[in-house]
Amino acid sequence: MSDDAPPAPAFYEPLGGGRFASTPATAGPWSPGLQHGGPVSGLIGRAFERHDPVPGTRVARVTVEILSPVPVAVLDVAVRVVRPGRRVAHLEGEVRHEGRTVVRATAWRILAAPERLEPVVHAPGPPPLPGATPPFGDWEDLHVGGYVAAMEWRPVEGHFTRPGPGTIWARPRVPLVAGEADTPLVRALTLADSASGVGSQLDLAKWLIINTDVTVALHRDPVGEWLCMAASLDASPGGSALCHATLADASGEFGRALQTMLVDDRPPD
């Protein structure tokens, strides 16, 4: 996929006043008219970082609640501080389409730890970045001309068309917002919603699997364009599914992602 041109020069075009035009690059695998959760998560994360910033603090956790499918259309983004503070602040945000809220999100912005703190990391280092992007195989009935094509993927084991658990390196081929460089938080959020695709062990031809949310918690900011995600999914009859992922860069693990998921019979065609 990396040899083809991206579907658009960015995921979003800024319109001013918190409004953004979604480009075809935001489209998810199920429909060219509906967005993947990654770009819209990055968009609300960008808003959290820019809203009343406090020097010496960083956004350490973002939870994105997907209230309904997000159309590939003009979106309005708004953020407010719920609990201000010099060390800890809580923020809320929402994304609207034509006045209807389609995404709600919260974030914790906290004081950065002192540089003298000795790092404590328990996760093993990530596998090496593969040297080339192989073909993914059978993408029948999936739309791959949007978000999937706007990212460069280098799978290590498992991936979207091979049942997980899976590990993959990835980077955006286009910026989140035209004319801007992505921040580390934006890069992590743009990727994290793909965890259930990378790590799923359920047959997508048989089961309808929809994530209601994604939470990304980072103990440090990632470095570099390429990020590694190792993901797996647990599911129980009479329950639901839970996807969890470890996020890493070339230096090691920097955070985790978690998704709550609906599992149901797939309707017949």
Side-chain angles (χ1 to χ4, degrees):
M1 291 183 187
S2 60
D3 295 333
D4 300 329
F11 288 109
Y12 299 99
E13 296 283 347
L15 301 177
R19 305 197 86 198
F20 298 86
S22 309
T23 75
T26 63
W30 309 116
S31 168
L34 299 177
Q35 294 196 34
H36 187 277
V40 74
S41 296
L43 192 63
I44 195 72
R46 171 188 178 274
F48 284 141
E49 287 188 302
R50 288 168 171 251
H51 186 75
D52 291 341
V54 177
T57 65
R58 56 184 291 274
V59 176
R61 192 274 288 161
V62 175
T63 295
V64 178
E65 311 277 2
I66 304 169
L67 304 184
S68 67
V70 180
V72 179
V74 173
L75 302 176
D76 294 282
V77 182
V79 169
R80 68 188 183 102
V81 176
V82 180
R83 190 271 193 198
R86 185 175 64 85
R87 288 190 175 92
V88 177
H90 191 242
L91 295 85
E92 289 182 348
E94 61 181 18
V95 179
R96 295 179 181 176
H97 169 61
E98 296 182 344
R100 180 173 61 91
T101 302
V102 292
V103 168
R104 284 201 179 102
T106 61
W108 282 107
R109 186 171 63 200
I110 64 176
L111 186 69
E115 291 295 331
R116 65 180 180 275
L117 177 70
E118 290 293 330
V120 179
V121 179
H122 298 284
L129 173 69
T133 299
F136 275 87
D138 184 13
W139 283 92
E140 186 178 357
D141 298 328
L142 296 179
H143 174 66
V144 299
Y147 171 83
V148 173
M151 301 284 290
E152 184 174 0
W153 309 93
R154 295 195 181 176
V156 177
E157 60 177 344
H159 56 65
F160 308 110
T161 59
R162 297 177 188 170
T167 302
I168 199 164
W169 286 87
R171 65 177 176 181
R173 300 173 63 201
V174 298
L176 182 77
V177 175
E180 295 182 6
D182 291 349
T183 65
L185 175 69
V186 163
R187 289 197 298 273
L189 290 170
T190 302
L191 174 62
D193 195 69
S194 298
S196 57
V198 172
S200 180
Q201 294 172 261
L202 301 178
D203 185 354
L204 297 181
K206 180 180 180 181
W207 299 105
L208 177 68
I209 307 172
I210 302 173
N211 66 294
T212 60
D213 55 49
V214 60
T215 293
V216 177
L218 308 179
H219 64 78
R220 68 169 173 86
D221 296 335
V223 177
E225 286 186 303
W226 286 100
L227 300 182
C228 183
M229 181 163 63
S232 61
L233 183 145
D234 299 300
S236 298
S240 55
L242 189 66
C243 183
H244 40 93
T246 298
L247 302 172
D249 56 21
S251 298
E253 183 261 347
F254 61 81
R256 306 292 172 90
L258 188 70
Q259 294 171 298
T260 309
M261 312 195 71
L262 162 77
V263 181
D264 197 5
D265 292 306
R266 180 166 290 282
D269 296 333

